[in-house]
């Protein structure tokens, strides 16, 4: 009984030392970012530096319109502080259901951690009319593949910065 009590005290002291060392070394909890495309994961890490860890739900080689929801994607979203999507309905076939199923209030549309990177991006190739004969790859809000344009990506990067600041204002600088 005495040995068990001493063991608990040693473990408590060890835990206190580890916590104290982490604080002394300036350990900071990183903002967990999940993006739909690798471009945005990279931009988030470049903007956030050591305060951000980012992953992408896709590899960049998939058809962004046809990504299948897998349990591994849900696990990533449940842990996320920030979610970044391409927008302009580029992921309309899978992102809404994925976000609903993940049940993470921090990254739902309208929450501080939700980032539609397309906000303010001038859309290209917006169709004049939408009808079934227009073909299978019709984008009613315009071509969502603006990530291939460096000028439009500056706007997306500003949107990502604004979202990171909303979630972690202490690291604004």
């Amino acid at each position: 009984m005495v040995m068990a009590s001493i063991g608990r005290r040693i473990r408590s002291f060890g835990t206190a030392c580890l916590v104290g060392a982490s604080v002394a070394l300036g350990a900071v909890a990183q903002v967990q970012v999940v993006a739909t495309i690798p471009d945005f994961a990279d931009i988030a890490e470049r903007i956030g530096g050591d305060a951000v860890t980012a992953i992408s739900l896709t590899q960049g080689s998939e058809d962004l319109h046809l990504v299948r929801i897998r349990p591994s994607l849900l696990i990533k979203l449940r842990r996320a502080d920030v979610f970044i999507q391409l927008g302009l309905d580029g992921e309309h076939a899978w992102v809404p259901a994925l976000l609903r199923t993940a049940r993470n209030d921090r990254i739902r549309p309208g929450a501080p951690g939700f980032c539609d990177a397309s906000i303010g991006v001038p859309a290209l190739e917006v169709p004049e009319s939408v009808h079934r004969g227009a073909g299978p790859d019709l984008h009613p809000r315009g071509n969502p593949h603006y990530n291939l344009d460096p000028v439009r990506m500056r706007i997306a990067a500003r949107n990502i910065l604004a979202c990171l600041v909303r979630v972690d204002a202490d690291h604004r600088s």
Side-chain angles (χ1 to χ4, degrees):
M1 185 137 150
V2 172
M3 292 303 285
S5 175
I6 292 172
R8 278 195 300 274
R9 287 183 185 161
I10 290 173
R11 280 192 298 277
S12 294
F13 177 74
T15 301
C17 287
L18 286 173
V19 170
S22 295
V23 171
L25 294 173
V28 176
Q30 290 183 314
V31 175
Q32 302 298 313
V33 175
V34 175
T36 57
I37 60 174
D39 306 16
F40 292 150
D42 182 59
I43 289 171
E45 283 188 335
R46 289 177 187 271
I47 290 171
D50 294 337
V52 169
T53 299
I55 58 172
S56 175
L57 296 177
T58 62
Q59 300 301 309
S61 56
E62 303 94 335
D63 181 342
L64 192 58
H65 307 297
L66 302 174
V67 174
R68 291 182 42 206
I69 297 175
R70 299 180 306 278
S72 61
L73 301 181
L74 292 171
I75 291 168
K76 292 173 183 176
L77 285 177
R78 284 193 181 128
R79 296 177 181 156
D81 299 307
V82 171
F83 174 75
I84 306 168
Q85 72 173 14
L86 182 64
L88 290 178
D89 296 331
E91 307 102 330
H92 75 280
W94 59 282
V95 163
L98 187 64
L99 289 175
R100 269 193 313 276
T101 307
R103 295 186 183 137
N104 180 343
D105 289 340
R106 294 184 310 265
I107 60 169
R108 64 177 165 63
F114 179 82
C115 178
D116 180 342
S118 71
I119 301 298
V121 173
L124 296 172
E125 303 171 9
V126 179
E128 292 180 21
S129 67
V130 179
H131 52 85
R132 291 184 188 264
D137 202 20
L138 179 68
H139 300 292
R141 295 181 52 209
N143 187 335
H145 305 288
Y146 64 87
N147 60 308
L148 303 174
D149 180 346
V151 173
R152 285 173 169 74
M153 283 298 279
R154 283 189 199 140
I155 298 168
R158 280 190 226 114
N159 289 333
I160 293 168
L161 170 62
C163 184
L164 292 172
V165 168
R166 280 194 309 267
V167 171
D168 188 13
D170 293 341
H171 292 100
R172 180 184 189 106
S173 62

